[in-house]
Amino acid sequence: MTTTVPSAIGQPLDRVDGHAKVSGSARYSAEIPVRNLAYACVVPSRIAAGRVVGIDTTAAEAEDGVLAVLTHETLPKIAEQPPLIPSLAGTAAPSQTFFPMQDDTVHYAGQQIALVVADTWERAEHAAKLVRVTYEETPPVTTLDQGRDTAYEAERIFGGWIPGRAERGDVDAGLRDADIVVDSTFTYAANNHNPLEPSCTTAQWDGDNLLLYDATQGVNATQMTVSRLLGLPMSRIRVIGHYVGGSFGSKAMIHAHPTLAAMAARAVGRPVKLALTREQMFTSVGHREEQEQHITLGATREGRLTAVRHHKLSPTSHFDDWAEPSLGSSSQIYASPNFEGVYRLFRANTMTPTFMRAPGEASGMHAMECALDELAYEVGVDPIELRLRNHTDVDAMSGHPWSSSGLKECYERGARSFGWADRDPRPGARREGNWLIGTGMATASYQVAPPANPQRARARLYADGTAVVQAATPDFGTGVATAMTQVAADALGLPVDRCRFENGDTDLPNIAAAVGSAGAGMISAAVHNAATALREQLISSAVNDTGSPLHGADPDDVVVRQGVMTAGTASESYSDLLQRNFRPDAEATGQWSPPAQDAPYGMMTFGAQFAEVAVDADLGTVRVRRLTGAFAPGRVLNSKMARSQLMGGMLWGLGQALLEANYMQPDTGRWVNASLGEYLVPVNADAPDVDVQLIEVEDRVVNPLGVKGVGEIGQVGVSAAIANAVHHATGRRVRKLPITIEDLL
């Protein structure tokens, strides 16, 4: 096996696209200059249940510049509705098995019922307000209280990937044998997507060929989904998404607007841009569902778990069984002999929920970690000690060993950095003026979820000694171009400044949508394999070339540094090899096949979260003063970007704990907070000191570089650490999210 000397991976390199982004030269999907561009504006349903009995488009069509008004009566029918499969599968990935404007049925408020196309955005928006719609309305079902009595146990959730029930042992017996039982119910408000860049697609036809500029986490997923919906061969569809301004799950699955933009462009015979408004983001790209989780823990007097029962109730759409997989980590990471997890759903007048940052674990681990904190107080042991007593070196559900862990190191490092040992465990024991001070902690965990299909990349080295590595993946703010440049540089044995990464185009080798923290691992694996194949190809050429100083050398003895191949005292640069043989470049492709779904390992990323809060004793306001997170994400590709990602996740966890919430109006089925202007998220004034500790652990299972990813794990456990800190400060358990002033008065 040939070797290189790694030097770039792990280094805190600045983003290679940083200048383009801060200078404004980076082009996002809504900014692509296209000649003769028209603009589409959605007309949303004002009711949540019923049907459209009439649409009067006369006034809208009479307005200057209006090119078309499309409704269910005039929009072409889709060719095929693909099944709901998570985008990580590498297949078509519609966000729901319902496509709008195919009939007169209204399933949820905000559903697209008409599309106005005009020569300017202002004219399209104005004309959309002139479309007159009459409805036959029926009472909607949207809230937990409305749907509880009709709930059913789901056979499978999450696009069919996850069983609706998971069991081991005998939970009833485990609870009967327990000395202590903690029984708690947690409720969660719905959360909506508000990335910096709203979703947008620009569609352009050239004969039967379709070009889409789409804001998406997976250009290949958009290509495959639109292909199925339009009945158009994939070879005739190209999707470009070079820069994506944030997603966090909202652009993971493929919603209706890319296909609607393509339909509108064909109808008017010119390119069309369809950009969702801030209000439409609340009704067009999914959300984290409202939910209720009931958790019961049984334990011995020493705090060792005898049973865990974790049930979840949540609304889903009329067409899909979707729920966040919230019960996974609670079944796996603690050594309880008995477990029961059940998902119960009810049909609601809502679009199908979707991924949102740390889908599943952000909510499920909140319930588990708050219940464990309560158990620690019942037993009278430190919360970290309780977790160590229930620590397991294997996946408790499968019995397979972890591919790597590092959890104990996270507890130790995080506690030391935070100063946990100085904590007085008594609730309300520490006070500063009118502020009650509390500290809390929680475990963080997130599934390592490899894609279902092989991932590919291509590497090319030019005779001048520079290299380009390519893969289709978009960069939606994670810094993938920078990290993959580092991976390619190390695999090729080149300086970083002589490597470049090209991405965000379906004409490049296929990569599945980068969701669920899988992006760093799967893309780096494909890039590493492609660059390694190219390096080995060049070494093989040198040792078999009679004109090379390396002729006859053992390929396994060749080391590459700074683009120079060396074996013993003999050496030759890549450039000299190619130029001597009149080769302008050399190229190789690489493929990475993920571990089998039944691989005999548990694959999880672990961490530990710590929080300090101050609660005003009279006003009930909560201020988070400090956050510390210690994480073991396998190998770190870029330490600066990893810390940034983790910090962002931790601050989102603060928002989840104290601010983010939306509710459906029971009578209308509409969101109460219907735009970003009314939806609370943390701002700079809310941000505390954030301390991120990275613990690298070797993992030889997840992928060639041992990369687990950091995109999701930063949020997991933060809300629980804050809630546990609020209890420590006040003595009050709040079992809902977000925690509000009213909960503490």
Side-chain angles (χ1 to χ4, degrees):
M1 180 70 179
T2 55
T3 60
T4 61
V5 179
S7 59
I9 290 179
Q11 296 301 310
L13 268 63
D14 292 340
R15 292 181 182 241
V16 298
D17 55 1
H19 183 271
K21 288 184 174 179
V22 300
S23 66
S25 61
R27 296 285 187 178
Y28 294 79
S29 294
E31 301 176 315
I32 304 298
V34 177
R35 296 188 62 183
N36 200 33
L37 184 64
Y39 300 81
C41 184
V42 168
V43 178
S45 170
R46 305 302 300 170
I47 69 169
R51 67 186 189 92
V52 174
V53 296
I55 299 183
D56 184 353
T57 62
T58 306
E61 290 170 330
E63 288 294 305
D64 289 343
V66 172
L67 304 173
V69 180
L70 303 173
T71 71
H72 69 276
E73 296 174 340
T74 56
L75 189 79
K77 302 306 178 186
I78 60 173
E80 174 190 4
Q81 176 59 65
L84 180 70
I85 299 176
S87 49
L88 196 59
T91 64
S95 62
Q96 54 187 8
T97 55
F98 162 75
F99 193 83
M101 297 171 60
Q102 298 293 289
D103 58 32
D104 62 5
T105 305
V106 175
H107 294 284
Y108 52 90
Q111 175 183 316
Q112 299 101 325
I113 57 173
L115 200 63
V116 177
V117 187
D119 59 358
T120 70
W121 162 250
E122 292 78 10
R123 284 173 163 174
E125 184 183 37
H126 171 67
K129 295 176 182 177
L130 301 179
V131 175
R132 298 289 177 254
V133 184
T134 53
Y135 302 96
E136 182 181 281
E137 190 170 2
T138 56
V141 173
T142 55
T143 67
L144 290 174
D145 289 339
Q146 290 175 316
R148 190 182 306 276
D149 292 341
T150 60
Y152 59 94
E153 183 177 323
E155 182 177 345
R156 302 190 74 84
I157 63 162
F158 212 57
W161 273 28
I162 296 175
R165 173 181 286 263
E167 296 176 294
R168 68 172 180 270
D170 186 334
V171 167
D172 290 331
L175 292 174
R176 285 195 303 269
D177 294 341
D179 299 313
I180 299 170
V181 174
V182 171
D183 188 79
S184 302
T185 298
F186 297 84
T187 57
Y188 306 77
N191 296 159
N192 292 95
H193 283 290
N194 286 286
L196 201 60
E197 175 201 26
S199 293
C200 175
T201 303
T202 300
Q204 183 174 8
W205 289 92
D206 180 7
D208 289 332
N209 296 314
L210 174 63
L211 173 61
L212 298 174
Y213 296 96
D214 190 33
T216 176
Q217 285 183 240
V219 290
N220 296 106
T222 297
Q223 179 191 43
M224 288 184 279
T225 305
V226 173
S227 170
R228 297 277 294 275
L229 288 166
L230 293 183
L232 190 68
M234 285 177 56
S235 59
R236 293 194 175 277
I237 303 175
R238 182 183 181 189
V239 183
I240 297 175
H242 289 140
Y243 293 97
V244 180
S247 173
F248 312 103
S250 66
K251 300 164 187 170
M253 304 291 278
I254 310 306
H255 306 289
H257 58 272
T259 306
L260 288 174
M263 289 175 162
R266 173 155 275 178
V268 300
R270 58 195 282 188
V272 168
K273 177 193 297 182
L274 174 51
L276 300 182
T277 66
R278 281 291 175 193
E279 291 77 11
Q280 290 164 1
M281 289 292 290
F282 280 66
T283 56
S284 305
V285 297
H287 55 277
R288 196 195 306 273
E289 69 271 23
E290 180 189 15
Q291 50 195 275
E292 177 182 281
Q293 295 186 29
H294 185 190
I295 191 163
T296 307
L297 306 180
T300 66
R301 297 192 187 281
E302 294 76 30
R304 301 188 188 281
L305 291 170
T306 61
V308 176
R309 172 176 281 144
H310 196 170
H311 288 195
K312 176 181 175 181
L313 171 68
S314 59
T316 189
S317 66
H318 279 274
F319 11 92
D320 301 305
D321 283 353
W322 178 280
E324 279 197 324
S326 306
L327 314 183
S329 286
S330 61
S331 73
Q332 295 174 279
I333 69 170
Y334 294 116
S336 169
N338 306 295
F339 176 84
E340 178 188 276
V342 176
Y343 294 92
R344 295 176 64 244
L345 304 174
F346 63 89
R347 301 287 178 202
N349 293 106
T350 175
M351 72 176 304
T352 303
T354 195
F355 298 105
M356 182 172 272
R357 195 168 195 174
E361 278 80 355
S363 60
M365 284 298 283
H366 177 86
M368 184 69 185
E369 294 302 299
C370 288
L372 281 174
D373 194 71
E374 190 168 348
L375 178 60
Y377 276 89
E378 290 285 341
V379 174
V381 301
D382 182 87
I384 296 178
E385 174 58 27
L386 181 82
R387 286 162 176 80
L388 290 172
R389 292 182 185 182
N390 291 285
H391 182 271
T392 174
D393 291 322
V394 301
D395 178 335
M397 204 66 198
S398 68
H400 295 149
W402 298 117
S403 62
S404 62
S405 176
L407 179 55
K408 288 183 178 180
E409 293 85 346
C410 290
Y411 290 144
E412 191 277 330
R413 175 86 67 82
R416 184 173 69 245
S417 183
F418 185 77
W420 183 261
D422 299 330
R423 178 183 193 256
D424 184 334
R426 295 173 299 161
R430 181 181 166 195
R431 186 164 185 150
E432 296 177 6
N434 210 46
W435 293 101
L436 302 170
I437 311 301
T439 55
M441 63 80 55
T443 302
S445 64
Y446 195 80
Q447 300 278 351
V448 177
N453 62 332
Q455 307 299 300
R456 297 187 298 112
R458 179 166 55 234
R460 178 180 295 162
L461 182 82
Y462 293 93
D464 64 359
T466 61
V468 174
V469 181
Q470 301 170 317
T473 183
D475 186 339
F476 45 94
T478 59
V480 66
T482 307
M484 296 311 128
T485 300
Q486 293 173 259
V487 171
D490 272 6
L492 286 168
L494 287 175
V496 171
D497 61 6
R498 292 168 68 182
C499 295
R500 182 163 53 88
F501 183 66
E502 292 183 348
N503 62 291
D505 189 334
T506 51
D507 279 358
L508 304 179
N510 176 75
I511 291 284
V515 301
S517 267
M522 69 182 184
I523 302 165
S524 67
V527 167
H528 171 78
N529 285 355
T532 298
L534 178 55
R535 184 193 75 223
E536 293 181 346
Q537 176 195 130
L538 291 163
I539 291 173
S540 177
S541 295
V543 301
N544 289 292
D545 183 352
T546 56
S548 172
L550 295 171
H551 179 250
D554 185 339
D556 290 345
D557 294 335
V558 178
V559 176
V560 186
R561 296 184 181 92
Q562 302 293 305
V564 177
M565 301 172 285
T566 302
T569 59
S571 64
E572 180 174 39
S573 70
Y574 287 148
S575 295
D576 288 345
L577 173 69
L578 292 175
Q579 291 174 14
R580 188 179 64 255
N581 288 283
F582 303 101
R583 295 174 62 184
D585 58 54
E587 182 177 289
T589 58
Q591 178 171 298
W592 172 66
S593 296
Q597 298 293 318
D598 58 352
Y601 294 94
M603 291 183 284
M604 187 85 73
T605 305
F606 292 103
Q609 305 275 16
F610 298 82
E612 178 182 290
V613 304
V615 182
D616 189 293
D618 295 327
L619 301 179
T621 53
V622 180
R623 296 287 181 262
V624 178
R625 289 186 168 184
R626 292 189 295 138
L627 291 174
T628 292
F631 307 96
R635 193 173 185 188
V636 175
L637 295 176
N638 181 304
S639 57
K640 178 185 291 187
M641 294 192 305
R643 291 179 188 278
S644 177
Q645 280 267 59
L646 291 164
M647 182 181 295
M650 293 168 71
L651 292 173
W652 194 326
L654 182 157
Q656 178 190 7
L658 302 176
L659 294 167
E660 281 200 64
N662 213 347
Y663 305 91
M664 285 283 192
Q665 296 172 329
D667 54 339
T668 66
R670 298 182 195 168
W671 292 115
V672 173
N673 301 323
S675 76
L676 181 57
E678 301 164 326
Y679 185 86
L680 298 180
V681 295
V683 297
N684 284 345
D686 299 304
D689 292 332
V690 179
D691 173 27
V692 177
Q693 300 288 321
L694 289 170
I695 299 164
E696 290 203 50
V697 292
E698 184 179 31
D699 195 311
R700 297 178 177 273
V701 175
V702 291
N703 49 58
L705 295 176
V707 175
K708 291 183 173 183
V710 296
E712 318 287 1
I713 187 72
Q715 183 178 348
V716 181
V718 176
S719 62
I722 291 172
N724 293 337
V726 167
H727 168 261
H728 184 229
T730 66
R732 182 173 299 187
R733 293 280 178 193
V734 180
R735 298 185 179 91
K736 61 178 281 290
L737 286 182
I739 299 169
T740 62
I741 291 172
E742 292 81 358
D743 299 319
L744 297 172
L745 291 178

